[in-house]
Amino acid sequence: MAETYRAFENLRNHNAVLHDSVALNTGMQLAAWSNTRDNITQYCDHHTLSLYIDNGYESYHKTSGGWKNGGGPDRFCLMPTDSESSWDIRDDLSFVHLYCTDAHLRTVSEQIWDRRPASLTLNEQMFGEDAQITALYRHFLLGCDWQQQANQLTLSTASTLLLTHLVQHYSNVRWRLPTVTGGLSPSVLRNVLAYIDASLAQPLTLADLAAEAALSEFHFARMFRQSMGLAPHQYVMQRRMAQAEQLVRYSNHSLTEIALACGFNSASHFSNRFKSVTGLTPSQLRARRA
């Protein structure tokens, strides 16, 4: 059953416009919003990470000293569980939310450091600036269609990286990230690559691949990059495109069948991605072959 996030439901009861939303396999949720001229008070039993995408200069947060603004593109806010925040949105604002729970943070912490922190709390942040958070949001989350199952690996990777960053830099746990040296063993790498090739039609996630290697997501992602020179999501998309090109060139399958076989549940999205890689749409390449 999908997790219900109070901040998400509260926004839907105000002036905010929901542009996109996706529930990740872990239970975390992403949502893209816009809002203008609204007053909202959020009290949540979960964590909310918010990144301002566009505008937001007239977004005011209520403090003990009065209403304070400081928003703008690439500013972020972190509202921990059980915190209350009141907002006066006086002009246009576009933003992305990532919703997660204490359980998600603890899972990431235990996977990375192989130990359970005695306590784990996030520190509230308002109108902060963090180049790594911005890069993760803009490169991973804003650069792909959330509804495409072929992009689930990208989204799950981004969410894990974001939670890792939050635990390391904005929590009471200040453990250093463990050093990962060396790649996957040859046998494990062969098994993972074979699993990827056999599963290209499926919405692969980082957890799926890490489980195949019997590693945490954190260690798997870093060891895979050591072995292959690419992040897992980059390699998987490369394999999807290679298979797609082979099927377009040498099979009689319809383009819709090829899209599904390569993990895309939209023919138009498949066509756009294919063209970005090959310079031609699948139909143009097939026409040339004919």
Side-chain angles (χ1 to χ4, degrees), residues 58-109:
E58 293 298 307
S59 174
Y60 287 79
H61 173 242
K62 189 176 183 179
T63 71
S64 58
W67 293 95
K68 305 292 184 182
N69 71 335
D74 297 338
R75 296 296 175 95
F76 80 95
C77 300
L78 177 59
M79 286 78 76
T81 185
D82 296 331
S83 64
E84 182 174 312
S85 57
S86 294
W87 302 88
D88 184 2
I89 312 300
R90 304 177 188 177
D91 207 343
D92 294 341
L93 166 65
S94 297
F95 57 102
V96 170
H97 274 176
L98 172 65
Y99 308 113
C100 66
T101 66
D102 273 342
H104 294 126
L105 291 176
R106 288 189 174 279
T107 297
V108 167
S109 300

Side-chain angles (χ1 to χ4, degrees), residues 153-190:
L153 180 55
T154 300
L155 297 177
S156 65
T157 298
S159 63
T160 297
L161 290 173
L162 282 167
L163 262 61
T164 301
H165 188 75
L166 293 183
V167 170
Q168 191 185 15
H169 295 281
Y170 299 102
S171 80
N172 63 317
V173 177
R174 293 303 177 96
W175 299 334
R176 295 174 66 109
L177 285 177
T179 302
V180 177
T181 57
L184 300 170
S185 70
S187 61
V188 169
L189 182 60
R190 281 196 301 273

Side-chain angles (χ1 to χ4, degrees), residues 17-266:
V17 177
L18 179 64
H19 297 280
D20 204 356
S21 176
V22 61
L24 303 177
N25 69 305
T26 55
M28 289 185 282
Q29 184 177 354
L30 290 165
W33 301 93
S34 63
N35 204 353
T36 188
R37 297 177 182 83
D38 203 357
N39 289 279
I40 303 173
T41 295
Q42 295 277 32
Y43 178 79
C44 302
D45 55 355
H46 58 82
H47 307 289
T48 302
L49 175 62
S50 175
L51 182 79
Y52 285 39
I53 303 303
D54 195 21
N55 295 313
Y57 303 105
E58 293 298 307
S59 174
Y60 287 79
H61 173 242
K62 189 176 183 179
T63 71
S64 58
W67 293 95
K68 305 292 184 182
N69 71 335
D74 297 338
R75 296 296 175 95
F76 80 95
C77 300
L78 177 59
M79 286 78 76
T81 185
D82 296 331
S83 64
E84 182 174 312
S85 57
S86 294
W87 302 88
D88 184 2
I89 312 300
R90 304 177 188 177
D91 207 343
D92 294 341
L93 166 65
S94 297
F95 57 102
V96 170
H97 274 176
L98 172 65
Y99 308 113
C100 66
T101 66
D102 273 342
H104 294 126
L105 291 176
R106 288 189 174 279
T107 297
V108 167
S109 300
E110 291 169 17
Q111 284 184 346
I112 293 172
W113 290 283
D114 197 26
R115 53 177 167 159
R116 178 187 288 267
S119 66
L120 180 57
T121 57
L122 292 181
N123 306 317
E124 184 177 83
Q125 303 289 322
M126 293 298 167
F127 308 126
E129 293 183 86
D130 188 310
Q132 188 165 343
I133 290 177
T134 297
L136 287 169
Y137 264 101
R138 291 200 174 273
H139 176 69
F140 285 91
L141 303 185
L142 302 187
C144 69
D145 183 341
W146 294 358
Q147 304 309 316
Q148 288 304 312
Q149 66 177 25
N151 292 328
Q152 291 307 297
L153 180 55
T154 300
L155 297 177
S156 65
T157 298
S159 63
T160 297
L161 290 173
L162 282 167
L163 262 61
T164 301
H165 188 75
L166 293 183
V167 170
Q168 191 185 15
H169 295 281
Y170 299 102
S171 80
N172 63 317
V173 177
R174 293 303 177 96
W175 299 334
R176 295 174 66 109
L177 285 177
T179 302
V180 177
T181 57
L184 300 170
S185 70
S187 61
V188 169
L189 182 60
R190 281 196 301 273
N191 289 340
V192 169
L193 298 185
Y195 176 77
I196 289 172
D197 279 348
S199 308
L200 292 177
Q202 307 305 316
L204 287 168
T205 67
L206 189 60
D208 295 331
L209 302 184
E212 189 66 21
L215 291 167
S216 72
E217 294 176 34
F218 173 84
H219 287 89
F220 171 77
R222 281 153 181 76
M223 293 170 74
F224 185 93
R225 184 185 280 275
Q226 289 273 2
S227 294
M228 299 300 296
L230 293 171
H233 73 279
Q234 294 171 320
Y235 176 81
V236 170
M237 187 56 72
Q238 188 180 86
R239 293 301 302 151
R240 292 189 198 277
M241 289 294 96
Q243 175 170 286
E245 185 170 358
Q246 288 295 305
L247 291 173
V248 170
R249 287 182 181 276
Y250 304 115
S251 82
N252 293 319
H253 296 305
S254 71
L255 297 183
T256 298
E257 290 172 330
I258 293 172
L260 292 173
C262 297
F264 295 88
N265 53 322
S266 162

